[in-house]
Amino acid sequence: MDLTLSPNHIAFRQAIREFIALYGDRAEGVIPGQRPGPKQIAWQALLLEHGYAGRFVPLEYGGYGAPYDIMEQRLIVEEFSRAAIPAGIGNQGISMLVPTLLELGTEQQKRDYIAPTLRGEMVWCQGYSEPNAGSDLAALQTRGVEDGENFIVNGQKIWTSTAHEADMIFCLVRTEPHAPKHEGISYLLFSMDDPGIDIRPLKTMSGRAEFNEVFFTDVRVPRIQMLGERGDGWRVANATLQHERAYLANSALLSQRYAELSQLIKENQRNGQAITTSQALQERLMQLQSRLLALKCHDLRLLTHSMKGTDPGIAGLITKLYGTETRYQVDVLALDAQGELGLLNQSDPRVRDGGVWFEREAMDLGLIIGGGTAQIQKNIIAERGLGMPREPKPVNKEG
Amino acid sequence: MEFALSEDQIMLQDSVRNALTDLVDVASLRDCVDNQRSRHESAWQTMVQLGIPALLVPEQYGGIGLSMLEAALVAEEMGRACAPSPYLGSCILSTLALMHTGSAAQKQQWLSMMAAGNGTVGFAFTELVSGYRVTQPVHQQNGTLNGTTLFVLDGREADAYIVACDQQLWLVEANASGLTFTPQHTIDGSRPTLELNFNNTPAQCLPDANRTSIEQLLNAAWIIQAADSLGAAWKMIDDAVAYAQVRRQFGRLIGSFQAVKHLCAEMAADIEPGRSLVWYAAHAFDNAPDEVTLYACHAKALLSDAGHIVARKSIEVHGGIGITDDLGLHYWAKRIGQNRMLLGSPHDAHQRAMQHQT
């Protein structure tokens, strides 16, 4: 047990702090679901130049080219979170596709896609889920039929965030209809400007359309735009999903949310009394702090496993379930602490924090479902973590 | 940066686990509880051989001089085994009290004896210090104690007691005049507590004790209770998982039903982040004095609540057999229950955490 940083890491952390002090006022966060604008792209360029974005991506693909060091990555996240400064563009292209391209892409694909994606100029959306393929993702039915040098893609995707703003899509399609379901999928990269793509916004309970439905009618995708081997798309997608889970389990963000909640409880009054005098609210706040501190310690434990390359076992399988639940409970308590005022929406002048807590509650409920539902997580914990029997194969009564 | 156990720490934990698994079974546990034995004699002797009473004691008094993290790892195994043995009172609290606040002579006399396994010292957080009780408080005047204290730890066969009262610590020998004790009967028969009555009982002051040292002892107690619950809870999860893989209903192993699998997954997910929290709190005890109180409060609260949920769900996975005396699962549930309420409830721990931050 040694919680001290090495001298190199202390120096690195100091450099981040100096960078933030010097340039932090230029920081521009990306509004979820929107394209980065000129200010965000300029901020991203500054981060890339100093190695706080794309740090471990090789120079020839537009990164900073530093040797991989997970502790450095963590320090970047921690220091930017602590300063409440947006750490550049963190969209699905950068956090999920770029690592997958680096692992499995062709030289041409890496050269074509990584640099503009890192710069924020090329925006991606993820074409995975379908109306009939949610938790059972491998049951997806969007077809890719070979036609000379192209695949002709037909079908429908759903839960496609930023589709209306995206330049490109990374998309799972069934190219081998007679193969077993996990072996018939390929991973295609194509332009959202291609003819035959129709995008319809999907409005959620937050009142906004964070997601879309995307329809493909005879979209032609050149074979060379396949990532990984034909029929190997499931494995490629799993590589991407691992990057997604790492991206979702981030206790630095949770700490920031908790600090906002704690501040809200300190500042707000009800019936002329500070709401901190409510023992019930205090108790709930402390219950959340218990979970938050446990998660922070748990992160250190998982970080150590990553650094050593050892398998964390069940400790690694529980974070998505525990982390997303905690995050949702923070939102719920923030709303409860406001009492009736928590009911107001953004357009009411009395709304607290611009109505952000209700939006967060809706989004964070979505996170409990997205990226593998809580129930799927429990199956994984029970089967892989505790060695319990796998789900019996369903009997197809119609066939 | 390395947040993990060392090889030595893993070896220590494994050796305690293996030794206790061999010795403490449900039959011998039942024998201890039913006959109100102060301890499981062979388990205690094995602990002595393994050097557990010497764990925290500095080398100059014949100890090993290890830290709270090692003590928490041992506590986890004590909980896993539901070991009827002195530990929290004598090996942790009285040991720490003497180490940090005792006179040279007191340390020489008592720590050496305890480290060698030749005697134990019970520990009492008296009523005003614990803040959670309503009996007549203990008061000290001119070196004598008067009053009553409940829930004295590891007291049944103790050679002496350390008593925390009036922001000071007092040492009372077991044969002191005016001292009487009455066994208490709590839900957790594996670690019997007792009531001490003082009637002009002579006591020696531990000269370096103050309010802070008593706070630090409470932190130690909460970390050890949390670790004990962690071990007891994982034993209950392992039992539930094992049972679900042999019990058949409707022609299937019940472990293949999602409802049962999800109960097991929820138990694991609720308790496991607590392991990281216990490690951190124990590490902070020796290495991060400004963080230890907050983490000790949250370790006590989280492991108590998560442990309580695990105890209930593990019994549910077992179905009706889970509540029978015969199966013995209840011993672990009660152990978790005692860790949860003794020396402060999760709510008290949260209140203390809140006050600590404001």
Side-chain angles (χ1 to χ4, degrees):
Chain A
M1 200 63 74
D2 172 14
L3 300 184
T4 55
L5 289 177
S6 71
N8 285 346
H9 287 139
I10 291 174
F12 182 67
R13 186 176 64 185
Q14 189 54 32
I16 304 172
R17 287 179 180 170
E18 283 165 16
F19 174 85
I20 290 173
L22 204 56
Y23 298 111
D25 57 347
R26 299 195 203 169
E28 283 292 333
V30 179
I31 297 159
Q34 291 189 17
R35 275 192 86 84
K39 282 183 176 171
Q40 284 97 354
I41 286 177
W43 174 236
Q44 181 76 1
L46 197 63
L47 293 172
L48 282 166
E49 183 194 331
H50 288 84
Y52 302 127
R55 180 168 186 82
F56 310 114
V57 176
L59 281 169
E60 63 265 39
Y61 307 130
Y64 188 74
Y68 187 68
D69 181 336
I70 193 172
M71 194 67 211
E72 288 185 354
Q73 183 59 47
R74 183 189 172 85
L75 288 170
I76 294 173
V77 173
E78 263 184 11
E79 290 305 314
F80 280 81
S81 295
R82 198 196 311 272
I85 297 278
I89 300 169
N91 58 28
Q92 291 181 322
I94 291 175
S95 36
M96 292 172 227
L97 181 67
V98 167
T100 310
L101 277 170
L102 285 169
E103 200 178 321
L104 300 163
T106 63
E107 187 57 28
Q108 191 62 43
Q109 287 166 346
K110 293 182 196 174
R111 291 197 181 276
D112 287 349
Y113 301 131
I114 294 178
T117 302
L118 284 181
R119 289 195 299 265
E121 292 160 9
M122 182 179 278
V123 175
W124 293 80
C125 59
Q126 173 187 280
Y128 280 17
S129 298
E130 296 181 5
N132 291 315
S135 290
D136 186 10
L137 183 59
L140 59 92
Q141 288 157 10
T142 293
R143 294 181 316 280
V145 178
E146 196 174 8
D147 178 34
E149 283 307 293
N150 295 310
F151 284 96
I152 312 291
V153 177
N154 280 284
Q156 182 194 349
K157 295 291 174 183
I158 193 170
W159 307 116
T160 321
S161 44
T162 58
H164 53 299
E165 301 278 6
D167 307 294
M168 299 286 292
I169 183 167
F170 50 99
C171 190
L172 292 177
V173 298
R174 186 163 300 286
T175 51
E176 328 300 316
H178 304 299
K181 71 177 180 180
H182 291 89
E183 290 158 31
I185 298 168
S186 298
Y187 196 107
L188 295 177
L189 312 172
F190 52 95
S191 168
M192 288 299 281
D193 293 331
D194 284 346
I197 300 180
D198 182 26
I199 301 164
R200 293 180 207 162
L202 183 59
K203 194 168 163 182
T204 68
M205 63 188 284
S206 74
R208 294 195 304 151
E210 298 97 339
F211 301 100
N212 300 276
E213 294 177 282
V214 180
F215 297 83
F216 305 116
T217 312
D218 294 333
V219 179
R220 300 183 81 80
V221 180
R223 303 172 67 101
I224 54 160
Q225 284 172 217
M226 184 177 285
L227 176 52
E229 299 297 313
R230 185 169 169 174
D232 209 19
W234 184 251
R235 195 172 67 87
V236 181
N238 273 318
T240 319
L241 282 174
Q242 280 180 10
H243 298 299
E244 180 178 33
R245 295 220 171 109
Y247 169 66
L248 288 177
N250 175 354
S251 75
L253 180 67
L254 185 64
S255 297
Q256 207 179 313
R257 289 276 177 90
Y258 176 85
E260 286 177 44
L261 165 64
S262 176
Q263 194 62 24
L264 177 132
I265 289 185
K266 264 186 206 133
E267 285 170 358
N268 279 263
Q269 293 204 336
R270 262 157 77 171
N271 303 327
Q273 280 209 316
I275 56 179
T276 38
T277 56
S278 157
Q279 288 237 348
L281 289 177
Q282 271 187 20
E283 173 64 20
R284 285 173 61 190
L285 183 69
M286 288 298 99
Q287 281 173 358
L288 287 173
Q289 193 176 44
S290 290
R291 290 177 69 104
L292 166 69
L293 295 183
L295 268 173
K296 280 177 77 167
C297 301
H298 202 67
D299 258 15
L300 291 175
R301 187 170 149 206
L302 296 181
L303 177 71
T304 302
H305 278 290
S306 296
M307 287 162 65
K308 291 180 167 176
T310 50
D311 177 13
I314 200 162
L317 302 176
I318 58 169
T319 48
K320 200 256 169 185
L321 183 67
Y322 200 85
T324 53
E325 177 65 27
T326 306
R327 196 159 145 165
Y328 175 73
Q329 293 298 342
V330 167
D331 305 333
V332 171
L333 180 55
L335 286 169
D336 286 3
Q338 296 171 42
E340 287 174 322
L341 292 182
L343 295 168
L344 300 173
N345 72 21
Q346 292 102 319
S347 57
D348 192 288
R350 288 190 178 81
V351 73
R352 297 282 157 88
D353 296 337
V356 71
W357 289 105
F358 178 71
E359 238 173 81
R360 285 174 176 173
E361 188 203 3
M363 276 305 288
D364 290 342
L365 182 52
L367 282 186
I368 289 173
I369 298 165
T373 65
Q375 290 66 37
I376 293 286
Q377 299 302 319
K378 288 177 191 174
N379 284 353
I380 292 172
I381 295 164
E383 291 170 10
R384 290 191 218 155
L386 298 171
M388 297 185 78
R390 297 188 69 86
E391 281 302 285
K393 290 268 181 253
V395 180
N396 188 345
K397 284 185 182 153
E398 289 137 35
Chain B
M1 209 300 295
E2 179 169 336
F3 189 72
L5 302 180
S6 68
E7 275 180 32
D8 284 351
Q9 287 164 339
I10 292 168
M11 267 174 52
L12 168 71
Q13 193 168 17
D14 284 350
S15 62
V16 176
R17 177 183 299 199
N18 293 337
L20 291 177
T21 308
D22 289 346
L23 284 169
V24 185
D25 55 10
V26 170
S28 63
L29 179 54
R30 191 184 308 281
D31 170 67
C32 289
V33 175
D34 289 354
N35 296 302
Q36 297 178 40
R37 299 194 196 288
S38 59
R39 64 194 182 203
H40 186 298
E41 197 53 45
S42 56
W44 170 246
Q45 288 310 328
T46 302
M47 300 265 293
V48 171
Q49 281 163 23
L50 288 171
I52 303 307
L55 193 85
L56 294 175
V57 176
E59 286 174 30
Q60 65 184 113
Y61 304 111
I64 312 175
L66 293 175
S67 69
M68 186 55 71
L69 182 55
E70 282 87 4
L73 298 176
V74 172
E76 184 188 339
E77 297 311 322
M78 304 283 288
R80 170 173 279 275
C82 200
S85 164
Y87 188 61
L88 172 59
S90 186
C91 306
I92 306 295
L93 298 175
S94 296
T95 299
L96 286 171
L98 283 158
M99 272 167 62
H100 295 297
T101 71
S103 68
Q106 286 166 340
K107 288 182 199 180
Q108 192 59 52
Q109 181 184 355
W110 296 101
L111 287 176
S112 307
M113 180 196 79
M114 289 158 80
N118 293 331
T120 57
V121 177
F123 192 92
F125 281 109
T126 65
E127 323 322 275
L128 285 179
V129 175
S130 83
Y132 313 129
R133 299 180 207 138
V134 290
T135 37
Q136 188 67 29
V138 177
H139 283 301
Q140 176 277 141
Q141 203 171 21
N142 304 323
T144 63
L145 300 182
N146 279 289
T148 297
T149 183
L150 304 182
F151 299 106
V152 178
L153 308 167
D154 296 346
R156 290 261 175 111
E157 286 185 30
D159 300 275
Y161 301 92
I162 306 278
V163 181
C165 72
D166 297 340
Q167 302 187 19
Q168 285 178 313
L169 293 166
W170 299 87
L171 188 141
V172 177
E173 300 204 34
N175 57 8
S177 63
L179 177 69
T180 51
F181 71 79
T182 318
Q184 282 183 295
H185 303 282
T186 67
I187 57 167
D188 177 19
S190 74
R191 290 169 302 174
T193 60
L194 53 79
E195 172 184 340
L196 279 183
N197 298 283
F198 304 99
N199 184 9
N200 293 322
T201 305
Q204 296 174 35
C205 183
L206 272 58
D208 296 331
N210 55 34
R211 190 186 166 79
T212 313
S213 37
I214 293 175
E215 293 266 308
Q216 186 71 341
L217 288 170
L218 188 61
N219 289 337
W222 284 5
I223 292 166
I224 294 298
Q225 287 178 311
D228 194 281
S229 285
L230 172 69
W234 262 111
K235 152 76 178 170
M236 293 190 80
I237 297 171
D238 290 344
D239 278 5
V241 169
Y243 183 73
Q245 309 222 60
V246 292
R247 169 76 172 170
R248 300 183 80 88
Q249 287 287 275
F250 304 101
R252 282 167 64 176
L253 290 174
I254 62 166
S256 71
F257 289 110
Q258 221 173 42
V260 173
K261 279 203 293 201
H262 284 192
L263 279 175
C264 293
E266 286 159 13
M267 287 192 269
D270 275 338
I271 207 78
E272 193 56 18
R275 181 189 308 280
S276 312
L277 187 59
V278 166
W279 287 0
Y280 194 98
H283 179 75
F285 187 88
D286 294 300
N287 298 283
D290 50 339
E291 289 187 298
V292 62
T293 298
L294 183 66
Y295 279 85
C297 289
H298 283 296
K300 162 88 172 178
L302 186 97
L303 275 300
S304 294
D305 281 340
H308 195 239
I309 290 170
V310 167
R312 174 243 165 104
K313 287 184 180 173
S314 172
I315 288 172
E316 274 191 87
V317 167
H318 283 81
I321 204 81
I323 61 164
T324 60
D325 174 54
D326 233 23
L327 184 68
L329 198 59
H330 62 94
Y331 292 123
W332 282 264
K334 290 167 180 170
R335 183 138 175 150
I336 290 168
Q338 184 139 315
N339 286 333
R340 181 166 182 262
M341 294 309 290
L342 191 64
L343 309 178
S345 67
H347 180 69
D348 297 320
H350 280 147
Q351 287 295 87
R352 183 164 170 240
M354 190 84 197
Q355 284 155 12
H356 184 72
Q357 293 169 83
T358 46

